[in-house]
């Protein structure tokens, strides 16, 4: 990759201490539990694609993303667009934990009149920067935000998260060309490459590989890492920040349904029904370190 | 004001607005030469974004820019603005509570030599279904300038149906306009010609002159705003004349004709008889604008003939 991390300062590349790593791991366990609990309380939801994002959301909200829960639209904040909007529940657990809204809201998920709908909605939920749910659109909107930040000369970063199935959408690649052409190096994007979409394995529905090669060919500064490994995530984000002139794509190899024994890796875990009993059982299992 | 290319008025108005309001940005999808926003780009290169031939991308980008406080005017041919990027306009702009001004150019038969693939007869029907947006179709250079200014000042998303070619002014430069308000261009007692868009309003005015020569007094309403629709002006005229002809460069259903029919159907009285002129469930095709107007029965003489037929029946 041209440029790469060589220009990063020492401070920027500072490796996480063992204690920091332990704190992130504990936090991820907590957010995973809250997400399983919220969806289980309702009885059905997008559990698979929520759980594959827990480590990413944890490291963003507890290490990299500038934000202020008391002022969700703070001009100097970093922005985040969850383009695979159906993973809202994972983001809601994170935002609640960070204090954007009361934790009791998590049990209102998808109930009539809730402020936490299945798919992310900027008009309803504090801390949500863009309304998403029609796959592909959020990523273009993220590019619009990044372009607007450039016009304003606002140095904030724009984090965007897309799915591998979502990458079937032509709009993703329209946005990819736009961001590269406009040199939107304030974008740090992640593909949650969990190898599954609704109808099955991505390589059976519509094969995407070589995915990192595609992004590089579209002019993006591209890395491919294990999306459940905090040290790899941290290094990739710092590497992206230290490289200018190109937008950044971090393809994360992940496991759909990660950490919940009843659904991890299951091809049917996209939008799954499970009882609250089951949720509490698996939460106890996670707490017990199994 | 002399006859003027509507697109030039559009570009000048936006450039003028941009000089006072740095939130105004122009988005184009490789039709900047057609829309005529080149002068805007020359003056404000940072605030003119050409996304390439990618209309869906353009409208979600516009939504994203709106979250940052910008007011994007995103333009392309009306067919692509609506048919191709409907979900993006719906969700990334309107549903998200954002402020994006979608501009669909070359309405109806004005697409002429671009033919049936490019001839939007359904754009208004599509966008009418989007909650909370404004829809306007200015009829001359004066109303265009005023309505672009007004739309820019409103906080919600909008669809502007923009005739690109030259049109003669129907109003003095001092005339004032308001989104949601129609204009009575000529008053009359025998029939109401409720027309939408430059070509139709100009033809309705000529039709009223033809009818006057035959002793029929026609009132001409320039509808201007399809959403909100000026129910008050249309109902008052309807109750006075007893016969309304809705005239649009669009399918006769799901656009102006349907909006007026809905208004009449829900009124306690029967305000007037309604005849809907427009495209009768047909696709567009290629030809000169004059040939197409004749083919689809939207010339001034067609309007006059429809009035006479209705008055007889
Ligand atoms: C435009 C659009 N088409 C279809 C859907 C229905 N849908 C929701 S999620 C999904 C699969 C997404 O797969 P992926 O991006 O891999 O999500 P993940 O595996 O991370 O849950 C589909 C088809 C949608 N939300 N939007
Ligand atoms: Mg997937």
């Amino acid at each position: 990759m041209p440029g790469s991390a060589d220009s990063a300062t020492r401070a920027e590349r500072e490796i996480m201490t063992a204690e920091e790593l332990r704190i992130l791991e504990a936090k991820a366990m907590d957010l995973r539990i809250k997400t399983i609990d919220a969806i289980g309380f309702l009885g059905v939801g997008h559990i698979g694609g929520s759980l594959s994002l827990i480590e990413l959301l944890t490291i963003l909200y507890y290490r990299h993303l500038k934000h202020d829960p008391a002022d969700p639209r703070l001009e100097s904040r970093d922005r985040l667009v969850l383009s695979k909007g159906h993973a809202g529940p994972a983001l809601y657990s994170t935002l609640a934990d960070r204090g954007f809204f009361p934790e009791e809201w998590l049990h209102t998920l998808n109930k009539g009149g809730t402020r936490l709908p299945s798919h992310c909605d900027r008009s309803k939920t504090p801390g949500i920067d863009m309304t998403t749910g029609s796959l592909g659109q959020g990523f273009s909107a993220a590019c619009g935000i990044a372009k607007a930040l450039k016009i304003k000369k606002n140095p904030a970063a724009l984090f965007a998260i897309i799915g591998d199935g979502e990458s079937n959408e032509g709009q993703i690649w329209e946005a990819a060309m736009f961001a590269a052409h406009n040199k939107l190096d304030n974008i740090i994007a992640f593909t949650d490459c969990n190898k599954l979409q609704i109808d099955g394995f991505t390589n059976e529905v519509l094969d995407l590989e070589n995915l990192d090669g595609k992004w590089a060919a579209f002019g993006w500064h591209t890395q491919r890492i294990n999306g459940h490994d905090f040290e790899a995530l941290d290094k990739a984000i710092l590497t992206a920040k230290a490289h200018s002139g190109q937008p950044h794509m971090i393809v994360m190899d992940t496991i759909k349904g990660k950490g919940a024994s009843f659904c991890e890796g299951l091809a049917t875990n996209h939008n799954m029904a499970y009882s609250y009993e089951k949720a509490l059982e698996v939460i106890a299992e996670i707490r017990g370190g199994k | 004001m002399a006859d003027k290319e509507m697109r030039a008025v559009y570009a000048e108005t936006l450039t003028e607005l941009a000089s006072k309001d740095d939130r105004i940005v122009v988005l184009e999808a490789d039709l900047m030469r057609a829309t005529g926003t080149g002068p805007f780009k020359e003056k404000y290169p940072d605030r003119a974004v050409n996304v390439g031939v990618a209309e869906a991308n353009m409208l979600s980008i516009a939504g994203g820019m709106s979250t940052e406080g910008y007011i994007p005017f995103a333009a392309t041919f009306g067919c692509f603005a609506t048919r191709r990027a409907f979900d993006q306009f719906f969700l990334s702009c309107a549903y998200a509570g954002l402020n994006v001004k979608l501009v669909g150019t070359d309405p109806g038969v004005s697409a002429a030599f671009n033919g049936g693939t490019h001839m939007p007869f359904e754009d208004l029907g599509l966008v009418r279904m989007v909650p909370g947006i404004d829809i306007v179709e200015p009829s001359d250079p004066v109303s265009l300038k005023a309505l672009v200014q007004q739309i820019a000042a409103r906080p919600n998303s909008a669809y502007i149906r923009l005739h690109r070619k030259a049109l003669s002014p129907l109003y003095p430069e001092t005339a004032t306009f308001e989104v949601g308000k129609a204009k009575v261009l000529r008053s009359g007692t025998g029939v109401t010609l409720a027309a939408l868009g430059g070509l139709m309003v100009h033809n309705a005015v000529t039709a009223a002159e033809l009818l006057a020569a035959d002793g029929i007094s026609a009132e001409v309403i320039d509808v201007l705003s399809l959403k909100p629709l000026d129910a008050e002006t249309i109902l008052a005229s309807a109750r006075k004349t007893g016969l309304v002809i809705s005239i649009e460069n669009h399918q006769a259903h799901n656009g102006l004709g349907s909006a007026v029919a809905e208004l009449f159907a829900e009124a306690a009285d029967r305000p007037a008889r309604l005849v809907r002129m427009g495209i009768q469930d047909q696709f567009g095709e290629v030809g000169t604008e004059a040939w197409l107007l004749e083919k689809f029965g939207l010339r001034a003489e067609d309007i006059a003939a429809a009035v006479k037929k209705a008055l007889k029946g």
Side-chain angles (χ1 to χ4, degrees):
Chain A
M1 256 336 103
S4 88
D6 298 348
S7 51
T9 64
R10 256 193 94 75
E12 276 173 322
R13 301 213 54 197
E14 210 169 9
I15 306 296
M16 268 188 287
T17 64
E19 175 61 6
E20 285 168 333
L21 183 61
R22 196 197 57 76
I23 291 172
L24 286 179
E25 273 164 358
K27 186 50 78 183
M29 183 198 278
D30 207 30
L31 296 180
R32 182 163 271 119
I33 287 171
K34 282 178 177 157
T35 305
I36 295 169
D37 180 277
I39 295 175
F41 189 77
L42 179 72
V44 62
H46 294 109
I47 185 70
S50 291
L51 294 183
S52 50
L53 284 182
I54 295 292
E55 281 73 22
L56 173 63
L57 292 173
T58 305
I59 200 166
L60 286 179
Y61 279 86
Y62 287 86
R63 196 166 165 85
H64 289 288
L65 186 133
K66 281 190 228 98
H67 66 281
D68 179 2
D71 185 2
R73 297 262 156 98
L74 183 73
E75 185 61 15
S76 61
R77 77 193 189 281
D78 290 335
R79 277 72 167 162
L80 181 130
V81 177
L82 181 55
S83 189
K84 43 166 276 189
H86 58 280
L91 184 51
Y92 302 154
S93 304
T94 312
L95 292 173
D97 196 74
R98 287 262 69 165
F100 282 85
F101 48 81
E103 213 151 304
E104 295 80 73
W105 286 22
L106 295 177
H107 277 193
T108 69
L109 184 68
N110 286 352
K111 301 230 157 93
T114 186
R115 296 186 66 176
L116 303 183
S118 209
H119 300 86
C120 295
D121 194 322
R122 63 180 295 280
S123 312
K124 295 196 162 73
T125 314
I128 296 294
D129 287 323
M130 185 59 195
T131 300
T132 54
S134 181
L135 294 170
Q137 292 193 33
F139 195 54
S140 296
C143 293
I145 294 173
K147 178 73 184 172
L149 291 172
K150 287 278 186 192
I151 298 174
K152 285 186 200 172
K153 301 190 166 43
N154 181 329
L158 179 285
F159 294 98
I161 305 169
I162 64 175
D164 48 1
E166 180 178 16
S167 305
N168 295 171
E169 287 285 357
Q171 188 168 357
I172 292 289
W173 304 98
E174 293 182 3
M177 285 186 277
F178 176 82
H181 177 83
N182 286 275
K183 302 188 168 44
L184 300 180
D185 54 6
N186 50 349
I187 300 178
I188 301 182
F190 302 85
T191 302
D192 183 5
C193 192
N194 56 24
K195 321 295 180 294
L196 281 168
Q197 53 197 103
I198 290 187
D199 283 345
F201 292 98
T202 51
N203 65 359
E204 287 168 7
V205 177
L206 187 69
D207 197 1
L208 284 166
E209 297 294 354
N210 161 11
L211 190 54
D212 42 328
K214 284 191 174 74
W215 284 101
F218 272 72
W220 285 55
H221 170 238
T222 306
Q223 304 174 71
R224 186 157 189 159
I225 60 159
N226 173 353
H228 299 302
D229 177 340
F230 280 121
E231 284 171 311
L233 279 165
D234 196 49
K235 186 165 168 254
I237 293 166
L238 293 176
T239 301
K241 284 196 161 167
H243 175 100
S244 59
Q246 285 178 295
H248 310 278
M249 174 53 74
I250 299 171
V251 177
M252 308 188 302
D253 286 304
T254 54
I255 297 167
K256 196 159 174 169
K258 168 81 174 170
S261 58
F262 66 91
C263 75
E264 184 173 309
L266 215 63
T268 51
N269 73 12
H270 182 79
N271 187 7
M272 205 177 169
Y274 60 95
S275 66
Y276 198 44
E277 229 176 5
K278 187 73 186 166
L280 297 178
E281 192 184 304
V282 83
I283 287 167
E285 221 175 272
I286 294 169
R287 286 224 169 89
K290 279 201 237 165
Chain B
M1 209 185 258
D3 283 21
K4 200 154 183 190
E5 269 203 349
M6 295 284 274
R7 62 176 177 178
V9 176
Y10 171 71
E12 277 168 26
T13 307
L14 284 186
T15 310
E16 198 181 301
L17 282 171
S19 71
K20 292 172 231 143
D21 187 343
D22 60 12
R23 298 171 303 165
I24 305 282
V25 291
V26 157
L27 266 64
E28 295 280 353
D30 201 30
L31 282 172
M32 187 173 258
R33 279 179 206 271
T35 318
T37 48
F40 183 104
K41 188 187 163 116
E42 255 166 55
K43 194 131 189 238
Y44 301 105
D46 293 347
R47 285 151 66 191
V49 182
N50 198 328
V51 306
V53 197
E55 297 75 16
N57 195 31
M58 173 168 74
L59 286 178
S60 296
I61 287 171
M65 293 185 81
S66 171
T67 69
E68 292 295 325
Y70 286 101
I71 305 173
F73 279 75
T76 175
F77 291 150
C79 46
F80 308 131
T82 55
R83 296 200 307 252
R84 195 177 184 94
F86 185 74
D87 190 30
Q88 285 73 16
F89 182 56
F90 183 97
L91 202 155
S92 293
C93 304
Y95 178 81
L98 294 168
N99 183 4
V100 173
K101 318 304 187 184
L102 175 60
V103 180
T105 70
D106 300 57
V109 296
S110 76
F113 290 161
N114 272 330
T117 55
H118 286 54
M119 200 161 284
F121 285 156
E122 61 294 313
D123 55 330
L124 296 174
L126 288 164
V127 291
R128 255 189 95 211
M129 290 299 292
V130 181
I133 67 161
D134 299 321
I135 304 174
V136 296
E137 186 168 1
S139 56
D140 82 329
V142 183
S143 58
L144 173 60
K145 180 174 179 180
L147 287 171
V148 167
Q149 288 169 338
Q150 292 227 355
I151 291 279
R154 288 164 70 92
N156 50 327
S157 286
Y159 182 66
I160 301 173
R161 200 175 197 231
L162 176 66
H163 187 85
R164 278 199 291 139
K165 298 169 196 168
L167 285 175
S168 54
L170 293 162
Y171 300 98
E173 286 190 50
T174 50
T176 57
F177 297 84
E178 205 179 311
V179 174
K181 288 269 180 277
K183 283 272 185 198
V184 179
L185 260 175
R186 173 187 178 118
S187 60
T189 52
V191 60
T192 302
L193 306 179
L196 182 63
L199 293 179
M200 297 301 99
V201 174
H202 280 82
N203 287 356
V205 170
T206 310
E209 282 157 12
L210 295 174
L211 289 165
D214 289 335
I216 300 166
S217 163
E219 178 147 302
V220 178
I221 297 180
D222 181 355
V223 175
L224 290 162
S225 172
L226 180 61
K227 193 176 176 173
L229 187 69
D230 186 351
E232 200 184 333
T233 299
I234 295 171
L235 282 172
S237 179
R239 290 186 176 121
K240 179 172 70 172
T241 65
L243 173 64
V244 175
I245 317 285
S246 65
I247 308 157
E248 61 199 302
N249 181 12
H250 182 269
Q251 300 292 351
H253 56 277
N254 287 356
L256 174 65
S258 291
V260 174
E262 288 157 20
L263 200 61
F264 288 6
E266 287 187 332
D269 57 342
R270 185 167 180 189
R273 203 179 140 205
L274 173 66
V275 174
R276 292 177 302 157
M277 292 187 78
I279 310 304
Q280 305 298 327
D281 206 23
Q282 291 158 284
F283 289 114
E285 60 185 278
V286 78
T288 62
E289 200 171 274
W291 187 86
L292 290 160
L293 285 170
E294 181 177 354
K295 151 109 192 167
F296 291 109
L298 293 172
R299 298 168 306 172
E301 48 265 53
D302 299 313
I303 298 169
V307 170
K308 285 182 194 163
K309 188 175 163 219
L311 286 175
K312 250 187 234 152

